[in-house]
Amino acid sequence: MKASRVMTKTVQCIKPDATLEHAWDLMQQRRVRHLPVLWGDKVAGILSDRDLLSVASRGVGGELVFPTGTVADAMTTRPFTALPTATVSTLARLMLDAHIDSIPIVNKDDTLVGLVTSADLLELLTEPDQVSDVLPFSFALRRPDEVMAVETRA
């Protein structure tokens, strides 16, 4: 299966000169954990909730307080990216090896066209009857109490 099948196509993005507090508010409003950072239409970096939490402190009332600064100060620059034709297994391996939870999907001009997150990949496991791009048939997962029957010939 290809990235183009599982990626989120309508991606909330942010500019590098946005404030850290604005980025956090946007993540909370949109219920996302990753914001691709765009310079024009090109991916300049990616900002995760972990990036923001690592620079935040707790205020008197327990609320998060962000330092004066911009998204460019906290984002991961030059993030791993992939083409829409990348396989989901390649994306999963990259996420595991690099300890990341999202990969911006770009076209050959390096323009953002989508985002694949670890949640997108996990969602695939909840749809066992999906027809694969690769296999010419669908499959169903066994229940834990099912035993595979083995035919023996005498």
Side-chain angles (χ1 to χ4, degrees), residues 14 19-32 35 52 64 66:
I14 197 161
T19 67
L20 298 173
E21 186 172 353
H22 173 69
W24 180 257
D25 290 343
L26 190 58
M27 285 183 180
Q28 300 311 299
Q29 290 169 4
R30 300 297 170 100
R31 302 180 72 170
V32 297
L35 295 172
L52 288 172
L64 288 177
F66 295 95

Side-chain angles (χ1 to χ4, degrees), residues 16 37-39 42-46 75-79:
V37 182
L38 298 186
W39 188 258
K42 308 288 187 213
V43 176
I46 193 152
M75 72 182 187
T76 299
T77 57
R78 297 178 11 179

